[in-house]
Structures are given as structure tokens and as C-alpha cells.
Amino acid sequence: MFILKSSPLILLILFSAVHHLKAEESVSAWDLVKNKEGIKVYTRTLANSNYKEFKGVMTLEAKLDALLKFINNAEHCPDWQYKCLKMLTLSDGYLYKLSNLPWPLSDRYTVMQSQGNFDQKQNSYTLSLKNIPRNQLPQHILQQLPAELDTVQMRTSDGYWHFQLNHTAEILITHQMHGDPAGSLPANLANLGVTNAAYVTLSKLREQLSGK
């Protein structure tokens, strides 16, 4: 009889496989929650979070360089990003973004580290965004931030912009984000704005970039 002896390597492989399966099971499938005027918005639930993740998708006839120039211009933020009050471009790829919340809630801000990458094989560009807690920021970034006053930093605000190029003039745009606003904002209230965050942002982006 052949007996399979356990080894640290086999146990590690088995543990990794089980962990991966559990992680996949804890993330729900995408639900299409809005499909209007060429913009599709999906949401899903993530493990260990009461706040939903969104994904917005649309096509836009534009040039990639013009699109990136507009998106990376912090002054434009209030014109198209949902609830954006202002954005500041910091050094080393960091961005500060302040978003409006209705009274009596405090406005929320993020300090995101952005990183762009063009994949030549896939002919696509991805702009990754990750919120860095204030107490983990480098000193020279802290010195560039406005005073917190009565604002609250979001616990998480992570995601990306993905621009898929093809042989036509249209670019397939995917914007995906997951945020945890921290503080006393209830999850059910925050989740009501998730769909609007995706739809309004993409809709206003299209308005701003049409014909450019």
C-alpha cells in the first residue's frame, strides 16, 4: 500500500489552496445595479466589510493622452468626481482628495498613492489608487497636507482606473473602487451613494471629455 507522507511543503500548498477558496467564497458576484445611457454600474460585497465595492464601465471616444491629462489635473476634480470638494497633487504620486458629506456628518478625505502603468501586450493603461493612513505617510507628504480640522480620513479608498484601447477611436473605461468612510457613517447610508459615485463620476467625465 502506498502511503502519502505529509511534509511542510504539502501542508503549505493545501493551506494556500483552502485559503484561496475561502477568499473567493467570501467575495460576492458582481450585481448590475444600473444600466443607463451607456454606463453600467456593478456592486458587490467584500469579506470583512459592510461597505460595498463598485465597478463602473463605459466607452468613450477620446485620445488616451487627453484623457489622462484631464484626470490627473487636480483642479478639475470638483467638475466631475462625485462629491469632490477639492483635490491636491502632492509629490511622489500622492493625491489628497476632500469629499463632501451632508450635515451633520464630517467631510471625508483620502491621501492616495497613485501609480500608472501601460501594458503594451494588452494595449491598456491602469491607474492604481490606494489610500494611505495619515499615521503611515512619509513626513514630507504630511507636511504638504491641509490641517485636518473637522474632517475625517477614510479608513480605505482603494481601486483603479483601467483604459482598454482598441483599433477604433473608443476607449473602454473601467473605474473600480472600494471605500470605508470610517467614523460614525452607517454602512447602509454609505452604500446608498455607491451607485451614484460610479455613475455620476463616469457621466460627468464623459461630458467633460466629449470631443477631446
Side-chain angles (χ1 to χ4, degrees):
M1 179 182 293
F2 177 75
I3 300 177
L4 178 64
K5 295 183 178 180
S6 63
S7 70
L9 178 59
I10 293 175
L11 292 175
L12 178 61
I13 292 173
L14 290 174
F15 175 80
S16 298
V18 171
H19 179 75
H20 179 71
L21 288 173
K22 287 185 176 181
E24 287 187 341
E25 290 175 356
S26 60
V27 178
S28 67
W30 287 109
D31 291 323
L32 178 63
V33 294
K34 190 163 189 172
N35 185 1
K36 183 179 178 181
E37 298 181 349
I39 299 174
K40 292 183 179 181
V41 178
Y42 304 82
T43 62
R44 68 178 178 182
T45 303
L46 300 182
N48 304 318
S49 177
N50 294 321
Y51 302 95
K52 291 186 177 181
E53 182 179 35
F54 74 73
K55 177 174 68 174
V57 181
M58 74 171 182
T59 57
L60 179 66
E61 188 171 330
K63 294 181 179 179
L64 181 62
D65 55 352
L67 185 56
L68 294 177
K69 182 178 180 181
F70 179 83
I71 286 179
N72 290 322
N73 189 328
E75 294 181 0
H76 292 318
C77 185
D79 298 330
W80 67 283
Q81 290 202 37
Y82 184 69
K83 297 292 186 180
C84 178
L85 291 173
K86 71 175 179 179
M87 179 180 283
L88 301 174
T89 301
L90 313 177
S91 60
D92 298 337
Y94 284 88
L95 300 169
Y96 168 89
K97 178 185 174 183
L98 180 65
S99 298
N100 172 260
L101 263 67
W103 185 89
L105 299 170
S106 299
D107 292 340
R108 295 302 198 267
Y109 74 91
T110 59
V111 185
M112 294 179 288
Q113 193 168 26
S114 63
Q115 185 174 4
N117 178 65
F118 184 78
D119 188 328
Q120 291 185 342
K121 290 184 178 180
Q122 299 297 325
N123 198 27
S124 65
Y125 185 92
T126 302
L127 180 64
S128 301
L129 301 167
K130 183 173 180 58
N131 182 57
I132 308 298
R134 198 178 185 103
N135 60 7
Q136 296 180 19
L137 291 169
Q139 186 61 34
H140 69 286
I141 299 298
L142 283 171
Q143 294 172 350
Q144 300 173 54
L145 295 179
E148 278 193 293
L149 300 177
D150 59 347
T151 62
V152 175
Q153 184 177 16
M154 292 185 64
R155 185 172 289 112
T156 59
S157 182
D158 307 328
Y160 63 83
W161 287 91
H162 182 77
F163 308 105
Q164 181 62 58
L165 308 180
N166 51 51
H167 299 297
T168 70
E170 288 189 333
I171 299 175
L172 178 62
I173 300 175
T174 302
H175 180 38
Q176 183 172 323
M177 293 292 294
H178 174 255
D180 181 335
S184 58
L185 183 60
N188 59 346
L189 180 60
N191 287 332
L192 291 176
V194 168
T195 301
N196 282 338
Y199 183 82
V200 172
T201 296
L202 289 176
S203 179
K204 289 190 173 182
L205 176 64
R206 184 170 58 190
E207 290 177 7
Q208 295 288 330
L209 269 292
S210 293
K212 293 187 179 181

PDB file of all heavy atoms in Angstrom, residues 49-52 101-106 108 154-155 179-194:
ATOM      1  N   SER A  49     -16.151  43.477   5.350  1.00  0.00           N
ATOM      2  CA  SER A  49     -16.509  44.876   5.123  1.00  0.00           C
ATOM      3  C   SER A  49     -18.014  44.997   4.933  1.00  0.00           C
ATOM      4  O   SER A  49     -18.620  44.211   4.209  1.00  0.00           O
ATOM      5  CB  SER A  49     -15.784  45.434   3.893  1.00  0.00           C
ATOM      6  OG  SER A  49     -16.193  46.779   3.645  1.00  0.00           O
ATOM      7  N   ASN A  50     -18.590  45.995   5.581  1.00  0.00           N
ATOM      8  CA  ASN A  50     -20.014  46.273   5.417  1.00  0.00           C
ATOM      9  C   ASN A  50     -20.270  47.237   4.264  1.00  0.00           C
ATOM     10  O   ASN A  50     -21.424  47.529   3.956  1.00  0.00           O
ATOM     11  CB  ASN A  50     -20.592  46.850   6.709  1.00  0.00           C
ATOM     12  CG  ASN A  50     -20.577  45.851   7.854  1.00  0.00           C
ATOM     13  OD1 ASN A  50     -20.838  44.673   7.646  1.00  0.00           O
ATOM     14  ND2 ASN A  50     -20.258  46.329   9.046  1.00  0.00           N
ATOM     15  N   TYR A  51     -19.186  47.731   3.674  1.00  0.00           N
ATOM     16  CA  TYR A  51     -19.309  48.723   2.612  1.00  0.00           C
ATOM     17  C   TYR A  51     -19.068  48.070   1.253  1.00  0.00           C
ATOM     18  O   TYR A  51     -18.090  47.342   1.068  1.00  0.00           O
ATOM     19  CB  TYR A  51     -18.317  49.866   2.838  1.00  0.00           C
ATOM     20  CG  TYR A  51     -18.525  50.547   4.167  1.00  0.00           C
ATOM     21  CD1 TYR A  51     -17.786  50.165   5.289  1.00  0.00           C
ATOM     22  CD2 TYR A  51     -19.479  51.539   4.309  1.00  0.00           C
ATOM     23  CE1 TYR A  51     -17.989  50.770   6.515  1.00  0.00           C
ATOM     24  CE2 TYR A  51     -19.689  52.152   5.536  1.00  0.00           C
ATOM     25  CZ  TYR A  51     -18.944  51.763   6.636  1.00  0.00           C
ATOM     26  OH  TYR A  51     -19.152  52.362   7.856  1.00  0.00           O
ATOM     27  N   LYS A  52     -19.959  48.345   0.310  1.00  0.00           N
ATOM     28  CA  LYS A  52     -19.886  47.692  -0.991  1.00  0.00           C
ATOM     29  C   LYS A  52     -18.811  48.291  -1.889  1.00  0.00           C
ATOM     30  O   LYS A  52     -18.482  49.479  -1.787  1.00  0.00           O
ATOM     31  CB  LYS A  52     -21.245  47.778  -1.687  1.00  0.00           C
ATOM     32  CG  LYS A  52     -22.323  46.928  -1.020  1.00  0.00           C
ATOM     33  CD  LYS A  52     -23.605  46.943  -1.827  1.00  0.00           C
ATOM     34  CE  LYS A  52     -24.658  46.036  -1.201  1.00  0.00           C
ATOM     35  NZ  LYS A  52     -25.919  46.023  -1.992  1.00  0.00           N
ATOM     36  N   LEU A 101     -19.764  65.542   2.598  1.00  0.00           N
ATOM     37  CA  LEU A 101     -20.818  64.746   3.191  1.00  0.00           C
ATOM     38  C   LEU A 101     -21.845  65.691   3.799  1.00  0.00           C
ATOM     39  O   LEU A 101     -21.483  66.765   4.297  1.00  0.00           O
ATOM     40  CB  LEU A 101     -20.282  63.800   4.267  1.00  0.00           C
ATOM     41  CG  LEU A 101     -20.012  62.354   3.825  1.00  0.00           C
ATOM     42  CD1 LEU A 101     -18.858  62.313   2.828  1.00  0.00           C
ATOM     43  CD2 LEU A 101     -19.699  61.463   5.016  1.00  0.00           C
ATOM     44  N   PRO A 102     -23.131  65.327   3.760  1.00  0.00           N
ATOM     45  CA  PRO A 102     -24.169  66.221   4.276  1.00  0.00           C
ATOM     46  C   PRO A 102     -24.075  66.403   5.792  1.00  0.00           C
ATOM     47  O   PRO A 102     -23.665  65.492   6.512  1.00  0.00           O
ATOM     48  CB  PRO A 102     -25.469  65.511   3.870  1.00  0.00           C
ATOM     49  CG  PRO A 102     -25.092  64.065   3.748  1.00  0.00           C
ATOM     50  CD  PRO A 102     -23.690  64.067   3.225  1.00  0.00           C
ATOM     51  N   TRP A 103     -24.448  67.570   6.244  1.00  0.00           N
ATOM     52  CA  TRP A 103     -24.512  67.854   7.677  1.00  0.00           C
ATOM     53  C   TRP A 103     -25.479  66.881   8.339  1.00  0.00           C
ATOM     54  O   TRP A 103     -26.500  66.527   7.747  1.00  0.00           O
ATOM     55  CB  TRP A 103     -25.000  69.292   7.882  1.00  0.00           C
ATOM     56  CG  TRP A 103     -24.985  69.739   9.317  1.00  0.00           C
ATOM     57  CD1 TRP A 103     -23.970  70.320   9.996  1.00  0.00           C
ATOM     58  CD2 TRP A 103     -26.076  69.597  10.245  1.00  0.00           C
ATOM     59  NE1 TRP A 103     -24.332  70.559  11.292  1.00  0.00           N
ATOM     60  CE2 TRP A 103     -25.629  70.114  11.475  1.00  0.00           C
ATOM     61  CE3 TRP A 103     -27.371  69.075  10.158  1.00  0.00           C
ATOM     62  CZ2 TRP A 103     -26.427  70.137  12.624  1.00  0.00           C
ATOM     63  CZ3 TRP A 103     -28.178  69.088  11.299  1.00  0.00           C
ATOM     64  CH2 TRP A 103     -27.704  69.615  12.516  1.00  0.00           C
ATOM     65  N   PRO A 104     -25.180  66.367   9.523  1.00  0.00           N
ATOM     66  CA  PRO A 104     -24.119  66.777  10.448  1.00  0.00           C
ATOM     67  C   PRO A 104     -22.847  65.944  10.326  1.00  0.00           C
ATOM     68  O   PRO A 104     -21.999  65.968  11.224  1.00  0.00           O
ATOM     69  CB  PRO A 104     -24.773  66.561  11.803  1.00  0.00           C
ATOM     70  CG  PRO A 104     -25.619  65.335  11.579  1.00  0.00           C
ATOM     71  CD  PRO A 104     -26.140  65.441  10.178  1.00  0.00           C
ATOM     72  N   LEU A 105     -22.697  65.181   9.255  1.00  0.00           N
ATOM     73  CA  LEU A 105     -21.520  64.336   9.091  1.00  0.00           C
ATOM     74  C   LEU A 105     -20.318  65.170   8.691  1.00  0.00           C
ATOM     75  O   LEU A 105     -20.453  66.210   8.040  1.00  0.00           O
ATOM     76  CB  LEU A 105     -21.789  63.262   8.033  1.00  0.00           C
ATOM     77  CG  LEU A 105     -22.937  62.301   8.330  1.00  0.00           C
ATOM     78  CD1 LEU A 105     -23.245  61.451   7.113  1.00  0.00           C
ATOM     79  CD2 LEU A 105     -22.613  61.427   9.530  1.00  0.00           C
ATOM     80  N   SER A 106     -19.152  64.724   9.069  1.00  0.00           N
ATOM     81  CA  SER A 106     -17.916  65.417   8.715  1.00  0.00           C
ATOM     82  C   SER A 106     -17.478  65.047   7.306  1.00  0.00           C
ATOM     83  O   SER A 106     -17.661  63.901   6.875  1.00  0.00           O
ATOM     84  CB  SER A 106     -16.792  65.059   9.702  1.00  0.00           C
ATOM     85  OG  SER A 106     -17.131  65.454  11.022  1.00  0.00           O
ATOM     86  N   ARG A 108     -15.091  63.886   4.330  1.00  0.00           N
ATOM     87  CA  ARG A 108     -14.077  62.844   4.330  1.00  0.00           C
ATOM     88  C   ARG A 108     -12.948  63.188   3.358  1.00  0.00           C
ATOM     89  O   ARG A 108     -13.168  63.820   2.325  1.00  0.00           O
ATOM     90  CB  ARG A 108     -14.686  61.497   3.917  1.00  0.00           C
ATOM     91  CG  ARG A 108     -15.714  60.941   4.903  1.00  0.00           C
ATOM     92  CD  ARG A 108     -15.133  60.758   6.290  1.00  0.00           C
ATOM     93  NE  ARG A 108     -15.913  59.877   7.137  1.00  0.00           N
ATOM     94  CZ  ARG A 108     -16.858  60.286   7.981  1.00  0.00           C
ATOM     95  NH1 ARG A 108     -17.158  61.565   8.068  1.00  0.00           N
ATOM     96  NH2 ARG A 108     -17.500  59.418   8.743  1.00  0.00           N
ATOM     97  N   MET A 154     -10.777  58.698   5.388  1.00  0.00           N
ATOM     98  CA  MET A 154     -11.415  57.412   5.144  1.00  0.00           C
ATOM     99  C   MET A 154     -10.475  56.289   5.565  1.00  0.00           C
ATOM    100  O   MET A 154      -9.258  56.398   5.413  1.00  0.00           O
ATOM    101  CB  MET A 154     -11.776  57.275   3.670  1.00  0.00           C
ATOM    102  CG  MET A 154     -12.872  58.222   3.231  1.00  0.00           C
ATOM    103  SD  MET A 154     -13.404  57.981   1.513  1.00  0.00           S
ATOM    104  CE  MET A 154     -14.085  56.313   1.579  1.00  0.00           C
ATOM    105  N   ARG A 155     -11.047  55.216   6.071  1.00  0.00           N
ATOM    106  CA  ARG A 155     -10.225  54.081   6.501  1.00  0.00           C
ATOM    107  C   ARG A 155      -9.587  53.388   5.297  1.00  0.00           C
ATOM    108  O   ARG A 155      -8.412  53.022   5.318  1.00  0.00           O
ATOM    109  CB  ARG A 155     -11.081  53.090   7.300  1.00  0.00           C
ATOM    110  CG  ARG A 155     -10.272  51.937   7.882  1.00  0.00           C
ATOM    111  CD  ARG A 155     -11.113  51.092   8.821  1.00  0.00           C
ATOM    112  NE  ARG A 155     -11.405  51.822  10.055  1.00  0.00           N
ATOM    113  CZ  ARG A 155     -12.610  52.259  10.409  1.00  0.00           C
ATOM    114  NH1 ARG A 155     -13.644  52.051   9.627  1.00  0.00           N
ATOM    115  NH2 ARG A 155     -12.795  52.898  11.548  1.00  0.00           N
ATOM    116  N   GLY A 179     -14.435  51.643  -0.660  1.00  0.00           N
ATOM    117  CA  GLY A 179     -14.098  52.588   0.393  1.00  0.00           C
ATOM    118  C   GLY A 179     -14.780  52.265   1.707  1.00  0.00           C
ATOM    119  O   GLY A 179     -15.873  51.689   1.740  1.00  0.00           O
ATOM    120  N   ASP A 180     -14.101  52.631   2.773  1.00  0.00           N
ATOM    121  CA  ASP A 180     -14.666  52.560   4.119  1.00  0.00           C
ATOM    122  C   ASP A 180     -14.517  53.962   4.705  1.00  0.00           C
ATOM    123  O   ASP A 180     -13.402  54.419   4.959  1.00  0.00           O
ATOM    124  CB  ASP A 180     -13.895  51.540   4.953  1.00  0.00           C
ATOM    125  CG  ASP A 180     -14.444  51.397   6.371  1.00  0.00           C
ATOM    126  OD1 ASP A 180     -15.069  52.357   6.882  1.00  0.00           O
ATOM    127  OD2 ASP A 180     -14.244  50.337   6.989  1.00  0.00           O
ATOM    128  N   PRO A 181     -15.635  54.670   4.901  1.00  0.00           N
ATOM    129  CA  PRO A 181     -15.556  56.076   5.298  1.00  0.00           C
ATOM    130  C   PRO A 181     -15.109  56.320   6.732  1.00  0.00           C
ATOM    131  O   PRO A 181     -14.839  57.470   7.100  1.00  0.00           O
ATOM    132  CB  PRO A 181     -16.991  56.578   5.079  1.00  0.00           C
ATOM    133  CG  PRO A 181     -17.835  55.353   5.248  1.00  0.00           C
ATOM    134  CD  PRO A 181     -17.017  54.224   4.680  1.00  0.00           C
ATOM    135  N   ALA A 182     -15.055  55.286   7.547  1.00  0.00           N
ATOM    136  CA  ALA A 182     -14.661  55.417   8.958  1.00  0.00           C
ATOM    137  C   ALA A 182     -15.656  56.306   9.695  1.00  0.00           C
ATOM    138  O   ALA A 182     -16.664  56.744   9.142  1.00  0.00           O
ATOM    139  CB  ALA A 182     -13.240  55.953   9.077  1.00  0.00           C
ATOM    140  N   GLY A 183     -15.367  56.579  10.951  1.00  0.00           N
ATOM    141  CA  GLY A 183     -16.247  57.443  11.720  1.00  0.00           C
ATOM    142  C   GLY A 183     -17.599  56.790  11.992  1.00  0.00           C
ATOM    143  O   GLY A 183     -17.735  55.566  12.064  1.00  0.00           O
ATOM    144  N   SER A 184     -18.629  57.640  12.099  1.00  0.00           N
ATOM    145  CA  SER A 184     -19.951  57.165  12.515  1.00  0.00           C
ATOM    146  C   SER A 184     -20.937  57.010  11.363  1.00  0.00           C
ATOM    147  O   SER A 184     -22.138  56.884  11.587  1.00  0.00           O
ATOM    148  CB  SER A 184     -20.547  58.146  13.538  1.00  0.00           C
ATOM    149  OG  SER A 184     -20.639  59.451  12.983  1.00  0.00           O
ATOM    150  N   LEU A 185     -20.449  57.013  10.116  1.00  0.00           N
ATOM    151  CA  LEU A 185     -21.338  56.896   8.971  1.00  0.00           C
ATOM    152  C   LEU A 185     -21.835  55.458   8.840  1.00  0.00           C
ATOM    153  O   LEU A 185     -21.045  54.544   8.607  1.00  0.00           O
ATOM    154  CB  LEU A 185     -20.603  57.313   7.698  1.00  0.00           C
ATOM    155  CG  LEU A 185     -21.417  57.316   6.399  1.00  0.00           C
ATOM    156  CD1 LEU A 185     -22.588  58.280   6.505  1.00  0.00           C
ATOM    157  CD2 LEU A 185     -20.533  57.693   5.215  1.00  0.00           C
ATOM    158  N   PRO A 186     -23.137  55.223   8.965  1.00  0.00           N
ATOM    159  CA  PRO A 186     -23.661  53.850   8.875  1.00  0.00           C
ATOM    160  C   PRO A 186     -23.430  53.252   7.491  1.00  0.00           C
ATOM    161  O   PRO A 186     -23.502  53.961   6.477  1.00  0.00           O
ATOM    162  CB  PRO A 186     -25.164  54.034   9.148  1.00  0.00           C
ATOM    163  CG  PRO A 186     -25.289  55.365   9.828  1.00  0.00           C
ATOM    164  CD  PRO A 186     -24.189  56.209   9.270  1.00  0.00           C
ATOM    165  N   ALA A 187     -23.199  51.959   7.444  1.00  0.00           N
ATOM    166  CA  ALA A 187     -22.917  51.291   6.176  1.00  0.00           C
ATOM    167  C   ALA A 187     -24.100  51.370   5.222  1.00  0.00           C
ATOM    168  O   ALA A 187     -23.922  51.571   4.018  1.00  0.00           O
ATOM    169  CB  ALA A 187     -22.537  49.837   6.428  1.00  0.00           C
ATOM    170  N   ASN A 188     -25.315  51.207   5.750  1.00  0.00           N
ATOM    171  CA  ASN A 188     -26.477  51.231   4.856  1.00  0.00           C
ATOM    172  C   ASN A 188     -26.659  52.591   4.203  1.00  0.00           C
ATOM    173  O   ASN A 188     -27.104  52.700   3.058  1.00  0.00           O
ATOM    174  CB  ASN A 188     -27.746  50.813   5.606  1.00  0.00           C
ATOM    175  CG  ASN A 188     -28.041  51.717   6.800  1.00  0.00           C
ATOM    176  OD1 ASN A 188     -27.199  52.491   7.230  1.00  0.00           O
ATOM    177  ND2 ASN A 188     -29.249  51.591   7.339  1.00  0.00           N
ATOM    178  N   LEU A 189     -26.285  53.656   4.903  1.00  0.00           N
ATOM    179  CA  LEU A 189     -26.358  55.000   4.329  1.00  0.00           C
ATOM    180  C   LEU A 189     -25.250  55.207   3.302  1.00  0.00           C
ATOM    181  O   LEU A 189     -25.487  55.749   2.220  1.00  0.00           O
ATOM    182  CB  LEU A 189     -26.254  56.052   5.432  1.00  0.00           C
ATOM    183  CG  LEU A 189     -26.325  57.520   4.985  1.00  0.00           C
ATOM    184  CD1 LEU A 189     -27.652  57.792   4.288  1.00  0.00           C
ATOM    185  CD2 LEU A 189     -26.141  58.450   6.181  1.00  0.00           C
ATOM    186  N   ALA A 190     -24.052  54.753   3.643  1.00  0.00           N
ATOM    187  CA  ALA A 190     -22.925  54.907   2.715  1.00  0.00           C
ATOM    188  C   ALA A 190     -23.158  54.113   1.438  1.00  0.00           C
ATOM    189  O   ALA A 190     -22.836  54.574   0.337  1.00  0.00           O
ATOM    190  CB  ALA A 190     -21.629  54.448   3.386  1.00  0.00           C
ATOM    191  N   ASN A 191     -23.746  52.924   1.561  1.00  0.00           N
ATOM    192  CA  ASN A 191     -23.965  52.077   0.387  1.00  0.00           C
ATOM    193  C   ASN A 191     -24.984  52.660  -0.584  1.00  0.00           C
ATOM    194  O   ASN A 191     -24.987  52.323  -1.766  1.00  0.00           O
ATOM    195  CB  ASN A 191     -24.403  50.681   0.828  1.00  0.00           C
ATOM    196  CG  ASN A 191     -23.258  49.874   1.426  1.00  0.00           C
ATOM    197  OD1 ASN A 191     -22.094  50.083   1.083  1.00  0.00           O
ATOM    198  ND2 ASN A 191     -23.580  48.966   2.325  1.00  0.00           N
ATOM    199  N   LEU A 192     -25.854  53.552  -0.077  1.00  0.00           N
ATOM    200  CA  LEU A 192     -26.817  54.206  -0.954  1.00  0.00           C
ATOM    201  C   LEU A 192     -26.118  55.094  -1.985  1.00  0.00           C
ATOM    202  O   LEU A 192     -26.630  55.296  -3.083  1.00  0.00           O
ATOM    203  CB  LEU A 192     -27.801  55.051  -0.131  1.00  0.00           C
ATOM    204  CG  LEU A 192     -28.786  54.278   0.747  1.00  0.00           C
ATOM    205  CD1 LEU A 192     -29.618  55.251   1.570  1.00  0.00           C
ATOM    206  CD2 LEU A 192     -29.688  53.392  -0.100  1.00  0.00           C
ATOM    207  N   GLY A 193     -24.946  55.618  -1.605  1.00  0.00           N
ATOM    208  CA  GLY A 193     -24.229  56.515  -2.502  1.00  0.00           C
ATOM    209  C   GLY A 193     -23.240  55.834  -3.428  1.00  0.00           C
ATOM    210  O   GLY A 193     -22.651  56.484  -4.295  1.00  0.00           O
ATOM    211  N   VAL A 194     -23.048  54.527  -3.254  1.00  0.00           N
ATOM    212  CA  VAL A 194     -22.050  53.813  -4.044  1.00  0.00           C
ATOM    213  C   VAL A 194     -22.393  53.835  -5.533  1.00  0.00           C
ATOM    214  O   VAL A 194     -21.538  54.090  -6.388  1.00  0.00           O
ATOM    215  CB  VAL A 194     -21.900  52.366  -3.534  1.00  0.00           C
ATOM    216  CG1 VAL A 194     -21.087  51.527  -4.518  1.00  0.00           C
ATOM    217  CG2 VAL A 194     -21.219  52.359  -2.174  1.00  0.00           C
TER     218      VAL A 194
END
